[in-house]
């Protein structure tokens, strides 16, 4: 499988184990005994891709089908990419080392916009034409999934289909229909028509988009009977949805190398800046006994020393404390840590912290997101100052000394007062530490990490124009100025250029495709990696293709403008988003879904109410 | 509590794991096996594990081993059975039992090295080695780089196989807990001088020997 020449190449690049496969838990099948060969591509490094729960779930789900063989593929790091090009080695799957070109379906998971150029790099390395229209039946079907597909219009021309929403059953259904078409020898067009009938399948080429002179969208016209609005797919009975209890255990240090169990899907909080909170609606939680037994099996089968209870907001699981009580005996006996990565400030109880600190003590992260109550109300981050202080106190009492706070800047309605509020919040936490008679040994440290706010589709802030780079720089400078006085406060923030690019791609339309391609061809790749980010290549590509970034990023979008994603339905309606945006302008908060339903529309996907309100 | 030594081969795809990766792999394998492995006490309990002699990334070996502790007495068969299916491709367990020698006894390692390329060039490497009084290579340690003469350190270099595009030789290299000579240094030297593709060579550690050149098994 690996000859001398290839071995020599592998030994000349960093971390060769990224490119060899062979980890415990890999699935091998006989290629002659399967009908559909699926390459699951993650357009980032092995370490990042292998930390991604979605990939593990779909790998498991697809390989459960006898007729499908799903294999993995990641973006080779730049050193390996150069070597592969130099030696004419086409991009291959890790399990069988088959060139991607020979697969039936090549699926990319789009987790973040800044991985789009990596998709192009991978197609390029595989010798597959970029544009869907340039690929005939002899090429694999190129499909996309993952959260970005809620508006992947900027890359829509590169994909044959997009799978919207939750992939568990959807991907298998796509393979099933594809297989039938293949057996009947149908053309690519006929196959796409058949696939477009599946709920959650979006065929970009079946939508004709017309633009106005002012560059906004005039109309979106479906062709070939394709649905006018494409609905995302969801798993209705998430409570009883089994999850993989044996997964590939990555070899070369994955970022999150631990067992991961998804305790709930969706989020009840409705933070207005958070795309995940809206596109994963409605809220559904997994049965606690299923979670407990599955987590135990997963740890047993993989040998992991840590199990992470993941979700957007784990402490919102109604039976979380019971679940922890069930898990504590076996995790302690088997020396497994429990990690709760997404605790919320407002229901962070003492007994909860006790349960997790019994096992492990490290830094604690909290996300107040904004520095003043007024701004937190605008963004609907329903966390009060008292709650932050109380949490800090509990954390210090629990022995933590390092607290990390996450904030955003450039939020709607933000003033310089709010920027100062970020530092004030950190300062207060430090003051609390010193005021405690029973404080832990040592000195407190508060790190504040401030991200530039990026308005995203399907959020109430989808209309809002992002702060321009100049304003963000001024705010960052002011933040540093405020924080100068206290050495125990560490400040970090991200690059405004990167945020601008992300904002353009997030709410972009199909006119961006040639610019993205040009950016890639002139060297943009691994854009989310600081050391690779090439802003100049992007700006030149935009300019050469008549793209004005500000049009996409910084402009307020009137409610009646047709957005590039308006023909896609992720559950929440535009009507609801407008109402919620209006509420935010008046600093009126929205209650969590389990307290009050605002009829966002997501329950229609479920076919019933999200919660039984009589019980509350 | 008793110490167990597991012997294994590292071949095929597994040669691309670093020593650090390998430690994690074994740790996890022991955990999955369900064997009554002894954990260190304290706040952060971990499996006590020592590897006899680390192997370089890219090299194969027939004679690797590591020690760990079990809380109960177990037979070789029980241990090997429990470990089945827990390891990545290319790592093959060959024995489990009480440690039979101490790592400090190791003085040499026998390597079998296959070089690829034009026959003449490969032959030149060997004759150059035999004819030279000195083979000076640069050895890098954590802090400094030193020039050393490895000619006198490498013993018994013998060509065992030749073909049109490859040459295989065996040789003894100093090895052990106090001093180690990585055969890659010789191959890099051949690479610089005669254009051998160093990374493309197959390097196999065949066995370990003590100071009297007795094989340690
Ligand atoms: S329908 Fe109501 S309860 Fe369900 S997600 Fe929307 S707002 Fe929340």
């Amino acid at each position: 499988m690996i000859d001398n020449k290839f071995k020599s190449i592998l030994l000349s690049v960093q971390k060769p184990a990224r490119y060899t496969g062979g980890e415990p838990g890999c699935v091998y099948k006989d290629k002659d005994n399967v009908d559909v060969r699926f390459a699951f591509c993650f357009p980032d490094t092995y370490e990042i891709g292998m930390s991604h729960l979605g990939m593990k779930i779909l790998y498991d789900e697809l390989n459960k089908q006898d007729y499908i063989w799903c294999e993995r593929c990641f973006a080779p790091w730049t050193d390996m990419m150069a070597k592969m090009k130099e030696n004419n080695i086409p991009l291959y799957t890790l399990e069988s080392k088959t060139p991607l070109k020979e697969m039936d379906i090549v699926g990319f998971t789009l987790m973040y916009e800044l991985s789009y150029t990596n998709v192009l790099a991978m197609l390029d390395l595989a010798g597959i034409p970029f544009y869907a229209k340039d690929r005939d039946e002899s090429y694999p079907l190129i499909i996309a999934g993952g959260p970005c597909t809620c508006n992947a219009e900027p890359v829509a021309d590169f994909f044959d289909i997009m799978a919207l929403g939750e992939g568990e059953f959807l991907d298998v259904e796509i393979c099933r229909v594809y297989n039938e078409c293949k057996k009947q020898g149908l053309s690519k067009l006929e196959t796409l028509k058949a696939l477009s009938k599946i709920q959650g399948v979006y065929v970009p080429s079946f939508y004709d988009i017309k633009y106005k002179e002012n560059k906004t969208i005039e109309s979106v016209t479906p062709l070939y009977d394709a649905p006018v609005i494409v609905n995302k797919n969801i798993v209705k009975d998430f409570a009883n949805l089994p999850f993989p209890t044996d997964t590939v255990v990555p070899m070369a240090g994955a970022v999150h190398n631990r067992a991961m169990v998804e305790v709930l899907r969706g989020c009840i909080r409705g933070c207005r800046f958070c795309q995940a909170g809206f596109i994963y609606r409605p809220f559904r939680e997994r049965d606690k006994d299923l979670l407990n037994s599955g987590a135990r099996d997963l740890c047993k089968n993989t040998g992991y020393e840590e199990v992470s209870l993941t979700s957007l907001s784990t402490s919102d699981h109604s039976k979380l404390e019971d679940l922890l009580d069930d898990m504590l005996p076996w995790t302690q006996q088997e020396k497994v840590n429990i990690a709760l990565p997404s605790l919320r400030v407002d229901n962070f109880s003492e007994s909860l912290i006790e349960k997790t600190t019994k096992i492990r003590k490290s830094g604690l992260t909290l996300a107040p997101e904004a520095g003043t109550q007024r701004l937190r109300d605008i963004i609907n981050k329903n966390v009060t100052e008292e709650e932050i202080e109380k949490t800090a106190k509990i954390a210090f009492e629990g022995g933590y000394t390092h607290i990390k706070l996450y904030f955003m800047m450039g939020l709607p309605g933000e003033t310089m007062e709010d920027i100062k509020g970020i530092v004030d919040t950190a300062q207060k936490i430090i003051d609390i530490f010193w005021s405690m008679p029973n404080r832990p040994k040592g000195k407190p440290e508060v790190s504040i990490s401030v991200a530039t706010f990026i308005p995203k589709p399907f959020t109430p802030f989808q209309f809002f124009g992002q702060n321009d780079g100049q304003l963000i720089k001024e705010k960052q400078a002011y933040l540093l100025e405020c924080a100068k006085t206290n050495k125990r406060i560490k400040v970090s923030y991200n690059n405004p250029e990167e945020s601008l690019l992300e904002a353009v791609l997030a709410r972009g339309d199909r006119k961006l495709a040639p610019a993205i391609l040009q950016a890639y061809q002139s060297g943009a790749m691994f854009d989310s990696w600081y050391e690779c980010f090439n802003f100049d290549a992007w700006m030149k590509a935009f300019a050469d293709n008549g793209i004005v970034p500000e049009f996409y990023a910084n402009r307020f979008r009137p409610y009646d403008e047709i957005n590039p994603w308006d023909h896609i339905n992720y559950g929440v309606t535009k009507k609801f988003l407008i109402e919620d945006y209006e509420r935010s302008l008046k600093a009126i908060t929205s209650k969590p879904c389990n307290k009050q339903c605002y009829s966002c529309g997501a329950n229609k996907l479920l076919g019933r109410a999200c919660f039984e309100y009589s019980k509350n | 509590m008793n110490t167990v030594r597991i012997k294994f081969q590292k071949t095929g795809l597994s040669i691309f794991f670093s020593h650090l990766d390998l430690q994690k792999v074994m740790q996890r394998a022991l955990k999955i096996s369900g064997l009554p492995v002894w954990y260190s006490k304290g706040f952060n309990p971990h499996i006590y594990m020592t590897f006899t002699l680390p192997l370089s990334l890219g090299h194969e070996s027939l004679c690797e081993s590591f020690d760990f502790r079990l809380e109960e007495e177990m037979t070789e068969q029980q241990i090997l059975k429990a470990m089945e299916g827990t390891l990545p491709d290319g790592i093959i367990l060959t024995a489990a039992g009480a440690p039979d020698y101490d790592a400090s006894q190791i003085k040499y390692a026998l390597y079998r090295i296959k070089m690829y390329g034009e026959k003449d060039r490969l032959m030149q490497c060997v004759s150059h080695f035999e004819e030279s009084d000195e083979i000076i290579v640069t050895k890098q340690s954590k802090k400094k780089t030193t020039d050393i003469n490895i000619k006198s350190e490498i013993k018994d270099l013998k060509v065992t196989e030749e073909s049109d595009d490859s040459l295989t030789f065996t040789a003894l290299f100093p090895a052990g807990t106090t001093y180690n000579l990585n055969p890659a240094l010789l191959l890099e030297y051949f690479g610089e001088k005669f254009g051998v593709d160093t990374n493309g060579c197959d390097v196999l550690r065949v066995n370990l020997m003590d100071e009297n050149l007795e094989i340690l098994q």
Side-chain angles (χ1 to χ4, degrees), chain A residues 384-404:
Chain A
T384 62
E385 205 156 303
E386 293 81 67
E387 280 164 337
I388 297 172
E389 288 168 15
K390 193 181 120 216
T391 311
K393 218 173 194 155
I394 297 174
F396 288 143
E397 275 163 5
Y400 291 90
T401 54
H402 181 190
I403 292 186
K404 190 164 183 176

Side-chain angles (χ1 to χ4, degrees), chain A residues 218-437:
Chain A
E218 163 140 39
S219 65
V220 177
T221 317
L223 314 170
Y224 310 109
D225 264 352
V228 180
I229 300 284
V230 192
N231 295 312
K232 78 161 177 181
N233 191 62
I234 66 160
V235 177
K236 287 189 186 164
D237 186 15
F238 181 76
N240 299 305
L241 179 70
F243 54 93
T245 51
D246 196 1
T247 59
V248 183
V249 176
M251 214 57 64
V255 184
H256 298 301
N257 207 356
R258 54 189 177 204
M260 279 183 276
V261 173
E262 188 187 14
V263 297
L264 59 88
R265 211 169 264 185
C267 183
I268 58 172
R269 299 283 159 174
C271 300
R272 291 175 179 133
F273 54 87
C274 175
Q275 188 183 39
F278 290 98
I279 64 171
Y280 293 121
R281 283 184 180 205
F283 177 89
R284 288 146 292 161
E285 54 184 44
R286 239 184 199 124
D287 177 70
K288 97 170 162 43
D289 296 331
L290 175 64
L291 287 167
N292 182 46
S293 66
R296 189 171 186 167
D297 290 344
L298 182 58
C299 291
K300 203 175 263 159
N301 292 332
T302 55
Y304 275 126
E305 286 164 351
E306 182 162 289
V307 56
S308 163
L309 303 180
T310 67
S311 76
L312 292 173
S313 180
T314 297
S315 46
D316 282 331
H317 193 290
S318 60
K319 305 261 169 22
L320 179 65
E321 299 225 8
D322 292 346
L323 173 62
L324 289 172
D325 286 337
D326 291 348
M327 288 177 70
L328 272 178
W330 67 262
T331 49
Q332 273 177 343
Q333 195 189 344
E334 285 158 37
K335 300 181 183 64
V336 171
N337 292 329
I338 302 175
L340 294 174
S342 57
L343 285 184
R344 290 184 52 91
V345 181
D346 50 351
N347 57 3
F348 187 98
S349 71
E350 272 168 76
S351 65
L352 198 57
I353 193 165
E354 201 191 304
K355 280 175 186 135
T356 51
T357 52
K358 236 187 227 166
I359 299 173
R360 194 177 57 118
K361 209 163 286 166
S362 65
L364 186 89
T365 57
L366 302 173
E369 307 291 3
T372 62
Q373 194 55 47
R374 185 192 66 89
L375 193 54
R376 282 196 293 272
D377 287 346
I378 290 179
I379 64 174
N380 205 41
K381 184 80 191 186
N382 291 332
V383 161
T384 62
E385 205 156 303
E386 293 81 67
E387 280 164 337
I388 297 172
E389 288 168 15
K390 193 181 120 216
T391 311
K393 218 173 194 155
I394 297 174
F396 288 143
E397 275 163 5
Y400 291 90
T401 54
H402 181 190
I403 292 186
K404 190 164 183 176
L405 301 174
Y406 286 104
F407 291 96
M408 278 181 297
M409 72 167 48
L411 291 162
E414 182 180 83
T415 66
M416 286 301 185
E417 258 319 287
D418 300 302
I419 303 297
K420 185 169 171 295
I422 293 175
V423 176
D424 293 345
T425 309
Q427 184 60 50
K428 211 163 268 151
I429 289 176
I430 292 194
D431 295 344
I432 288 172
F433 180 90
W434 293 121
S435 73
M436 285 169 53

Side-chain angles (χ1 to χ4, degrees), chain B residues 147-200:
Chain B
D147 284 346
I148 50 167
N149 176 12
I150 57 172
K151 165 77 196 213
S152 54
E153 297 191 356
I154 299 169
K155 291 197 194 320
D156 272 354
L157 191 143
K158 278 189 253 180
V159 175
T160 57
E161 207 186 303
E162 282 172 69
S163 79
D164 286 346
D165 63 349
S166 75
L167 181 147
T168 308
F169 67 88
T170 57
L172 288 174
F173 289 78
T177 45
T178 46
Y179 184 70
N180 243 310
L181 181 66
N182 190 334
L185 286 175
L186 177 65
L187 297 175
E188 275 161 26
Y189 178 86
F190 287 162
E192 263 166 45
K193 226 170 168 89
F194 304 104
V196 172
D197 176 8
T198 312
N199 285 328

Side-chain angles (χ1 to χ4, degrees), chain B residues 122-137:
Chain B
L122 301 179
M123 285 304 294
Q124 243 181 324
C125 293
V126 176
S127 47
H128 173 81
F129 180 84
E130 278 161 358
E131 285 152 20
S132 308
D133 296 332
E134 281 191 338
I135 302 268
I136 305 290
V137 302

